[in-house]
Amino acid sequence: MSKKKKRYSNSVNSALLQKSIRKCWPIFLLPLMIAFAIGFIYPFFSGMYLSFCKFTTTSDAKLVGFVNYKEAFKDKTFTHAFWYTALFAIVSLVIINVVAFAIAYVLTQGIRGTNIFRTVFFMPNLIGGMVLGYIWNMIFNGILLKFNTNLLAKSKYGFWGLIIVICWQQIGYMMIIYIAGLQAVPEDIMEAAKIDGAGRMQTLFKVTIPNVMPSITICTFLTLTNGFKLFDQNLALTGGQPYEFKPDGTIVKTTEMLALNIYNTFYGQNTSARGVAQAKAVLFFVLVAAISIIQLRMTKSKEVQQ
């Protein structure tokens, strides 16, 4: 068979294959859509419905309207957890991104042992959140044992303990993203800046950072959402302790974050509050989604088109 006939035959086969794929795409997509519906869509809308119900099990759910949402807003433990989580998310966002970018910047300057440093910094991200929390709990207890005190039992020290744990875990992961962004900065732009006489700091803030904005967008999104969704480390490290007694008799866990507050409400002694916990979960979803969308729009608007 001649080369022309082979090319023609291959092109015909390719065209037939593309046509068959266009006709059969629902067959390939259907299992994915079914799995998505079972694993996400049904639980999501079921949870939305249960947030308007009073129940102990899903089989005895009774509609009560917006009562659960009213109770959620009245709950002082929920409002405390919200502001505590917001502060934690902001502080962790700044520290993680600044340190991760600084490390990534240093490791892209051609120093020796770069790959070893990358591996070492990334390794904490491979440890599960619950295990990580217990490991650091033992570390803190071992260090503070000589002082005959448990600083994690104090609210402000528990906060910084959580910050240390989340930073230690996530800095390496964000560093990898920043390294990818720094390596993607066009060399001709960097050379043009040097020719124009720009110094190292001018090049960093006027050239490098604007061109790394896509990586900053991703890392900001991840650290912000991870800060709000933190659960495992909070449960393992402090468990929400210490307690604070309000004048009205309400007991507030001073280091309890939103996800842990929802968990404690749902699985607490008062099983009739499960509807309130579900309402808190819906509010939590709306909050994180709204903040994420605002953050993405703000950072994407500053990205440089190359």
Side-chain angles (χ1 to χ4, degrees), residues 45-292:
F45 286 102
S46 177
M48 290 282 289
Y49 169 74
L50 290 173
S51 69
F52 295 98
C53 299
K54 184 176 181 180
F55 66 96
T56 53
T57 61
T58 55
S59 59
D60 65 351
K62 295 180 181 179
L63 281 170
V64 293
F66 289 91
V67 173
N68 292 331
Y69 288 91
K70 292 179 182 178
E71 292 296 325
F73 282 114
K74 290 180 182 178
D75 189 353
K76 291 184 178 180
T77 65
F78 184 65
T79 53
H80 171 82
F82 166 76
W83 292 113
Y84 189 84
T85 306
L87 178 62
F88 175 86
I90 293 171
V91 174
S92 62
L93 168 71
V94 174
I95 295 176
I96 290 172
N97 282 279
V98 170
V99 176
F101 182 85
I103 295 172
Y105 185 76
V106 171
L107 293 181
T108 53
Q109 301 303 306
I111 63 173
R112 290 185 178 181
T114 297
N115 292 332
I116 297 175
F117 286 119
R118 292 182 187 180
T119 303
V120 171
F121 282 118
F122 183 78
M123 283 178 64
N125 189 71
L126 303 176
I127 304 174
M130 190 69 73
V131 176
L132 190 69
Y134 284 121
I135 289 173
W136 275 95
N137 196 337
M138 290 187 292
I139 292 172
F140 286 135
N141 287 334
I143 294 173
L144 302 173
L145 187 62
K146 62 181 67 176
F147 297 102
N148 197 26
T149 184
N150 183 6
L151 293 182
L152 293 178
K154 298 181 180 179
S155 181
K156 62 179 180 179
Y157 297 117
F159 175 85
W160 288 109
L162 287 167
I163 290 291
I164 291 171
V165 171
I166 195 68
C167 290
W168 188 76
Q169 182 185 31
Q170 293 190 15
I171 282 175
Y173 185 80
M174 303 306 159
M175 174 202 69
I176 297 296
I177 298 175
Y178 280 126
I179 286 175
L182 288 166
Q183 290 177 340
V185 177
E187 288 292 334
D188 55 344
I189 297 178
M190 301 296 291
E191 291 176 2
K194 290 180 181 179
I195 293 171
D196 291 339
R200 182 179 290 272
M201 298 303 295
Q202 287 179 318
T203 303
L204 174 63
F205 287 100
K206 299 295 184 180
V207 179
T208 304
I209 292 179
N211 282 278
V212 184
M213 277 307 298
S215 296
I216 294 175
T217 298
I218 296 170
C219 290
T220 304
F221 172 79
L222 291 174
T223 50
L224 190 62
T225 54
N226 289 340
F228 272 97
K229 296 187 300 180
L230 190 73
F231 172 76
D232 296 354
Q233 296 89 329
N234 190 200
L235 177 63
L237 193 65
T238 67
Q241 297 183 23
Y243 302 103
E244 181 180 334
F245 295 90
K246 297 293 184 182
D248 61 353
T250 304
I251 301 175
V252 176
K253 294 182 178 180
T254 55
T255 62
E256 183 181 64
M257 301 179 71
L258 277 173
L260 183 59
N261 178 265
I262 295 168
Y263 173 85
N264 287 334
T265 304
F266 193 92
Y267 293 103
Q269 295 180 352
N270 185 10
T271 56
S272 62
R274 290 184 173 180
V276 178
Q278 194 62 46
K280 289 181 179 181
V282 173
L283 292 171
F284 181 51
F285 165 78
V286 173
L287 171 70
V288 175
I291 291 174
S292 300

